[in-house]
Amino acid sequence: MEYQLIDGKATATAIKQQIAEEVKNIVANGGKQPHLAAVLVGHDGGSETYVKNKVLSCEQCGFKSTLFRYEENTTEEELLACVDRLNKDEDVDGFIIQLPLPKHIDEQKIIMAIDYRKDVDGFHPINVGRMAIGLPCFISATPLGILTLLQHYHIETSGKKCVVLGRSNIVGKPMAQLMMQKQFGDSTVTVCHSHSATLKEECREADIIIAAIGRPDFVTADMVKKGAVVIDVGTTRVPDATRKSGFRLSGDVKFDEVAPLCSYITPVPGGVGPMTICSLMKNTLAAGKKEYYK
Ligand code: GUN
């Protein structure tokens, strides 16, 4: 069977162009240019790349962006003071604290300190709770990007069996919530994780598999039903001496053997990754327009 590749890069580019058009109109009519601030602590390679791409995407969308850098040994107090300043800064519409944070900083404490009206990552408990009961809010960027891809490719999700692999606060949990909800996925959702005894069996019955466990090549051909839709959220860096960078990104899906079974599948890179950043841009535009909160 011929599978269709889901092109996240092209989809994200198209959506960012639409955002840029809208921003141009807003500014032409005397409105405010949306402003996203990002806070990066330390020098984790993956985080550096993500933040660089977020700043670049802001330019493409016509947003203002500001990057705040802190060293690895920054204290929790310093970071809380930074959050407080950004909460109060009237020019900043939304901001993100790039995760993970160094071990000596309580991530949840930092997230709780963010004004939920500027929480464009959708990590604050108010946004998480509102999302869970279907109220307008900032939705976590990776799940929102995946929903957008499914819509963009007219993939039917209503009434389908969806297996979410992984239960993280950033991807697995919100993804399962959204796929279950009537106004989004409207699917029958099963969440599997490292201790699920029947993980392979659940996957084999799934119409849609969303893999977000961060283990390279975890999803193999024997776990995938013919005609399934497979969304690969994995982006693990694995050493690769043939690359200039010394590594390549590996997804959670063993692409070469799984793809021939699929109706649709996302590649890594170029699948979910670009859509995550695109969703952050959508959320920032919504923050600028005060779409959810005054
Ligand atoms: N680390 C991995 N994904 C994300 C994300 O979507 N937002 C932030 N702030 N940190 C992350």
Side-chain angles (χ1 to χ4, degrees), residues 50 54 96-100 121 123 141-142 170 276:
Y50 292 138
K54 286 169 187 177
I96 62 145
I97 313 291
Q98 186 65 34
L99 305 178
D121 260 333
F123 292 168
T142 300
I170 294 184
T276 295

Side-chain angles (χ1 to χ4, degrees), residues 180-244:
M180 172 184 74
Q181 284 181 33
K182 194 175 179 73
Q183 70 270 38
F184 295 105
D186 199 26
S187 301
T188 302
V189 180
T190 304
V191 181
C192 294
H193 49 78
S194 52
H195 290 89
S196 297
T198 58
L199 187 146
K200 279 201 183 224
E201 290 83 345
E202 304 291 347
C203 284
R204 269 198 288 273
E205 299 204 339
D207 303 304
I208 302 162
I209 297 176
I210 302 174
I213 33 175
R215 285 211 250 159
D217 298 337
F218 182 84
V219 177
T220 47
D222 60 317
M223 294 162 68
V224 178
K225 182 169 90 171
K226 240 179 143 178
V229 175
V230 174
I231 306 293
D232 190 348
V233 189
T235 51
T236 309
R237 288 182 163 199
V238 297
D240 184 342
T242 70
R243 302 290 176 95
K244 208 164 66 185

Side-chain angles (χ1 to χ4, degrees), residues 83 87 95 111-120 124 127:
V83 168
N87 283 341
F95 65 97
I111 290 170
M112 299 271 281
I114 298 172
D115 183 335
Y116 67 93
R117 295 165 296 187
K118 294 189 176 189
D119 169 39
V120 285
H124 189 283
N127 282 308

Side-chain angles (χ1 to χ4, degrees), residues 133-185:
I133 56 175
L135 293 176
C137 64
F138 296 115
I139 294 175
S140 181
T142 300
L144 181 59
I146 292 168
L147 287 177
T148 307
L149 272 185
L150 293 170
Q151 273 169 7
H152 191 85
Y153 279 82
H154 305 291
I155 294 169
E156 183 61 75
T157 57
S158 178
K160 303 291 183 190
K161 282 193 179 185
C162 173
V163 166
V164 176
L165 297 177
R167 53 181 161 182
S168 69
N169 289 344
I170 294 184
V171 186
K173 276 184 209 148
M175 193 74 244
Q177 280 280 359
L178 293 163
M179 286 305 287
M180 172 184 74
Q181 284 181 33
K182 194 175 179 73
Q183 70 270 38
F184 295 105

